[in-house]
């Protein structure tokens, strides 16, 4: 009997040990997020403002979380290709999007068909920064044509309908819509030439393939300071602290009330755990408010934010409504 009892006791202990092992396995595997590198998809080519801001934030998040935050550029279709990729990714916190006013404000009304819903398919994390756009030309070309201001440009273009073209970082971007709004406000006609991002568009501008661009200020700032580009005005309602002597378009020409600004923010696929969203927002806000990052972005013409997911969601809702009016007014449409 003692042998049987001893056998049963040993058997029960071994079963318990196995059971404990089974339970312990998954528990150990479920380590806290993030347990592997996190990808931030930039839906435009390297070198533009979206890319600049993502690369400013990524190293800070890597330090905060102890995991690599890597940038993946997926350019095309005005940011729609990259945005769609993230919208269809697993909502596990390992794929994020550096969204823009284009992908999450303009494109819903500009594109006849959109493969993602900017509100339903995403969980907003935080607004990273807002930036003004800036009207720029190749400095040598502007000088050669005698164009030194917004009124000069308007006068030149009106005498040559259809002979000028404007570059953008892609259909549906704020750079594109700023140009369309300028055309509608002035009654001039220019052909729109979309590129896969600000950097390739700027190459086209510098090589005289295109005539003018309403670029995001951070991606043009270095070229303006180097004298390669002539800046005529910013498209915001107020002047930029980064270029305080540069007027707004409303100040520079007969275009009262003209305003077309850009913004950039982090988003995750809808369904991403709220705890992950909250941690990302908190660490991003901390990074954006650090003296080093804040000073660097302000010097480039970007205004850091770091607002809450709820505040960012309200901004997206408001921007979709606002840009729908601009799209309708300008007559811009992309099939």
């Amino acid at each position: 009997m003692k042998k049987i009892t001893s056998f049963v006791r040993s058997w029960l202990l071994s079963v318990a040990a196995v059971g404990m092992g089974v339970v312990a396995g998954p528990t150990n595997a479920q380590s806290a997020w993030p347990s592997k590198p996190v990808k931030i998809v930039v839906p435009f080519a390297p070198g533009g403002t979206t890319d600049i801001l993502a690369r400013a934030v990524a190293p800070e998040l890597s330090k905060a979380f102890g995991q690599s935050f890597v940038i993946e550029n997926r350019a095309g279709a005005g940011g729609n290709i990259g945005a769609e990729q993230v919208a269809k990714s697993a909502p596990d916190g390992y794929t994020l999007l550096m969204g823009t006013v284009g992908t999450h404000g303009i494109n819903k009304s500009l594109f006849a068909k959109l493969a993602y819903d900017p509100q339903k398919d995403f969980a907003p994390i935080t607004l990273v920064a807002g930036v003004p756009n800036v009207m720029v030309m190749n400095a040598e070309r502007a000088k050669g044509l005698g164009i030194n201001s917004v009124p000069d440009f308007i006068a030149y273009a009106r005498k040559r309908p259809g002979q000028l073209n404007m570059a953008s970082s892609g259909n549906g971007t704020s750079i594109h819509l700023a140009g369309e709004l300028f055309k509608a406000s002035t009654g001039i006609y220019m052909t729109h030439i979309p590129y896969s991002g600000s950097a390739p568009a700027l190459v086209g501008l510098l090589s005289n393939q295109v005539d003018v661009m309403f670029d995001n200020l951070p991606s043009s700032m270095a070229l303006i300071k180097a004298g390669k580009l002539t800046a005529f005005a910013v498209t915001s309602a107020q002047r930029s602290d980064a270029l305080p002597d540069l007027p707004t378009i409303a100040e520079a020409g007969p275009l009262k009330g003209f305003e077309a600004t850009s913004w950039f923010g982090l988003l995750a696929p809808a369904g991403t755990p709220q705890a992950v969203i909250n941690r990302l927002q908190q660490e991003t806000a901390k990074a954006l408010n650090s003296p080093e990052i804040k000073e660097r972005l302000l010097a480039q013409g970007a205004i850091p934010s770091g607002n809450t997911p709820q505040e960012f969601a309200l901004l997206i809702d408001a921007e979709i409504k606002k840009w729908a009016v601009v799209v309708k007014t300008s007559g811009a449409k992309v099939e």
Side-chain angles (χ1 to χ4, degrees):
M1 183 71 178
K2 288 182 179 179
K3 289 183 180 179
I4 295 174
T5 303
S6 175
F7 171 79
V8 171
R9 185 182 296 113
S10 298
W11 180 78
L12 288 171
L13 287 172
S14 15
V15 169
V18 171
M20 288 174 66
V22 170
V23 173
T27 301
N28 291 335
Q30 291 173 353
S31 54
W33 177 93
S35 60
K36 61 181 181 179
V38 177
K39 178 168 62 180
I40 301 178
V41 174
V42 172
F44 296 98
T49 300
T50 319
D51 188 68
I52 290 169
L53 292 173
R55 292 181 191 277
V57 168
E60 302 304 312
L61 294 178
S62 295
K63 284 187 279 186
F65 290 105
Q67 283 288 349
S68 297
F69 278 68
V70 296
I71 306 299
E72 179 181 296
N73 295 90
R74 289 294 303 272
N80 291 343
I81 292 175
E84 181 185 353
Q85 176 192 340
V86 176
K88 295 180 178 178
S89 295
D92 55 11
Y94 290 101
T95 305
L96 310 176
L97 177 74
M98 183 60 81
T100 71
V101 63
T103 60
H104 283 73
I106 298 171
N107 289 1
K108 188 169 184 177
S109 55
L110 183 71
F111 283 80
K113 293 181 181 179
L114 208 57
Y116 64 92
D117 188 302
Q119 293 157 298
K120 295 178 182 178
D121 292 341
F122 290 88
I125 298 171
T126 188
L127 176 69
V128 172
V131 306
N133 290 9
V134 60
M135 183 180 180
V136 289
M137 281 188 73
N138 180 314
E140 290 185 0
R141 180 163 170 75
K143 184 178 179 180
L145 296 176
I147 300 175
N148 301 302
S149 64
V150 174
D152 285 348
F153 184 90
I154 294 171
Y156 184 91
R158 280 179 175 163
K159 292 177 182 178
R160 299 163 182 82
Q163 292 184 29
L164 298 180
N165 51 44
M166 63 177 195
S168 83
S169 53
N171 286 315
T173 61
S174 68
I175 297 171
H176 171 203
L177 263 291
E180 294 292 347
L181 187 59
F182 185 81
K183 286 163 57 178
S185 301
T186 57
I188 63 176
Y189 176 74
M190 296 184 287
T191 302
H192 172 224
I193 309 294
Y195 287 80
S196 61
S198 282
L202 287 169
V203 170
L205 194 62
L206 292 172
S207 59
N208 288 321
Q209 295 173 14
V210 286
D211 301 298
V212 68
M213 186 173 172
F214 295 81
D215 192 26
N216 302 142
L217 184 53
S219 49
S220 277
M221 181 66 81
L223 293 169
I224 293 169
K225 290 187 172 180
K228 300 291 185 182
L229 294 178
T230 293
F232 298 133
V234 289
T235 65
S236 48
Q238 290 83 33
R239 295 190 181 198
S240 169
D241 290 341
L243 293 173
D245 294 331
L246 194 65
T248 66
I249 283 185
E251 291 174 325
L255 299 172
K256 290 183 180 180
F258 188 98
E259 182 181 5
T261 55
S262 301
W263 52 260
F264 307 82
L266 283 172
L267 303 105
T272 299
Q274 192 61 43
V276 172
I277 298 293
N278 292 340
R279 289 186 65 198
L280 281 165
Q281 184 274 327
Q282 290 160 9
E283 293 301 335
T284 304
K286 191 184 299 183
L288 292 171
N289 284 309
S290 69
E292 181 186 353
I293 300 297
K294 190 172 185 177
E295 184 178 339
R296 189 202 315 170
L297 294 183
L298 286 171
Q300 293 175 319
I303 303 170
S305 177
N307 64 3
T308 67
Q310 295 76 20
E311 290 168 335
F312 189 24
L314 289 174
L315 172 69
I316 291 171
D317 293 345
E319 287 288 280
I320 287 173
K321 293 173 184 174
K322 167 190 166 182
W323 285 102
V325 175
V326 176
V327 169
K328 185 177 180 180
T329 302
S330 70
K333 207 70 182 174
V334 179
E335 296 301 327

